[in-house]
Amino acid sequence: MSSRRLLLAANWKMNPPPASALQAAMGDHSANPYHPHSDIDVVVFPTFLDLHKTVAAGLVSGGQYGRPENAGAYSGDISMAMLKTAGCRYVLCGHSERRENHNESDADVAAQAVAGLEQKIHPIICIGETLEERDKGHAESVVKKQLNALPLESDITIAYEPVWAIGTGKTASAAQAQGMHAFIRSLLPKDRQEKTRILYGGSVKADNAEELLSQPDIDGALIGGASLRPEEFGEIVKAGEKITQK
Ligand code: PGA
């Protein structure tokens, strides 16, 4: 059991929050899987428009993106400073959907992470290879290149999300994921190797969460589709708690 606290992140993407997530936890916080828990960290990533609702409901909240500049002529964007003001404690940087749909480069992603850190928002930085890159045998070199652009000396979280596993129902096997996580950890600066959390993402579901989260180098999960289904997300949270209490 590592000393790293498990982190379960619900990435709701461009979807409204599940209604029950915004309800009060009726005294017992652990009864609502989206609310803060004592043994593990749970964070939700709503759309920018829903952030005020999740913050008001007492959920630990994050932005799905933040622009490094504080303010200015950037139509359609929102800054890290604004996320901070809105009550965000986390921010996603470089999700593969942002890298693909908004042409975010490794340097852009690194700049976001640095700006998040400056605002004291914890960055969860996504990396991962495409199927084509994996099939060509380039998975490790792609991940290494993405990783090397990042401020690895800082207090950040990495999310390894093989692009071919996102929203496809195809999950990396626990052994595949553990192998890549151990590789990523080996590339971190020595004094960060024990501290930096590395999350797995890509079709995490109630039925594979326990096995994935039990791997020694998997410190949590970034969950898309299943995080929109309260019952299923509750099962994943339970699996995380069970592992932590072992
Ligand atoms: P998924 O998404 O769980 O639906 O595969 C994960 C993610 O994109 O973060």
Side-chain angles (χ1 to χ4, degrees):
M1 187 76 222
S2 86
S3 57
R4 296 177 297 275
R5 194 172 148 94
L6 219 57
L7 193 165
L8 298 176
N11 179 11
W12 293 336
K13 308 191 180 186
M14 200 173 71
N15 295 288
S20 67
L22 301 177
Q23 283 160 13
M26 309 294 273
D28 176 8
H29 263 204
S30 61
N32 188 327
Y34 300 101
H35 279 250
H37 286 62
S38 48
D39 294 341
I40 60 174
D41 290 331
V42 176
V43 188
V44 301
F45 290 88
T47 67
F48 294 138
L49 291 179
D50 291 317
L51 260 175
H52 70 288
K53 295 184 201 161
T54 59
V55 169
L59 309 187
V60 179
S61 303
Q64 294 177 18
Y65 162 75
R67 194 174 176 101
E69 295 83 355
N70 284 350
Y74 302 106
S75 302
D77 282 353
I78 186 164
S79 71
M80 291 289 175
M82 289 166 178
L83 291 180
K84 179 69 180 180
T85 306
C88 282
R89 290 177 40 198
Y90 287 80
V91 64
L92 290 181
C93 301
H95 190 281
S96 62
E97 287 152 13
R98 299 275 329 166
R99 289 180 189 260
E100 190 179 335
N101 300 335
H102 300 268
N103 293 320
E104 288 184 7
S105 66
D106 289 342
D108 294 333
V109 174
Q112 292 166 26
V114 169
L117 289 165
E118 278 167 12
Q119 295 293 334
K120 306 223 171 348
I121 304 180
H122 187 87
I124 298 181
I125 310 166
C126 305
I127 58 175
E129 80 285 357
T130 63
L131 187 56
E132 198 190 342
E133 290 162 341
R134 173 161 284 260
D135 286 348
K136 285 188 181 152
H138 297 164
E140 288 196 343
S141 59
V142 167
V143 162
K144 185 174 179 180
K145 179 174 165 287
Q146 292 173 333
L147 200 65
N148 281 342
L150 303 176
L152 299 178
E153 304 282 350
S154 303
D155 180 18
I156 58 174
T157 294
I158 307 286
Y160 168 60
E161 297 206 298
V163 178
W164 47 272
I166 296 176
T168 57
K170 283 187 205 151
T171 325
S173 70
Q176 254 173 342
Q178 163 58 26
M180 187 60 96
H181 280 229
F183 173 68
I184 292 168
R185 196 172 302 288
S186 76
L187 298 174
L188 299 176
K190 285 266 168 307
D191 64 334
R192 292 299 314 171
Q193 288 185 350
E194 279 307 307
K195 294 183 194 141
T196 298
R197 289 190 282 197
I198 307 173
L199 314 184
Y200 172 77
S203 297
V204 174
K205 304 264 184 295
D207 60 9
N208 59 23
E210 186 171 344
E211 195 189 3
L212 285 162
L213 295 173
S214 303
Q215 305 304 312
D217 288 295
I218 299 186
D219 307 314
L222 182 53
I223 306 146
S227 76
L228 288 161
R229 299 187 287 272
E231 248 180 61
E232 180 157 15
F233 189 65
E235 293 298 315
I236 297 171
V237 168
K238 272 195 205 126
E241 287 181 313
K242 185 171 152 196
I243 290 162
T244 299
Q245 285 154 8
K246 257 184 201 168

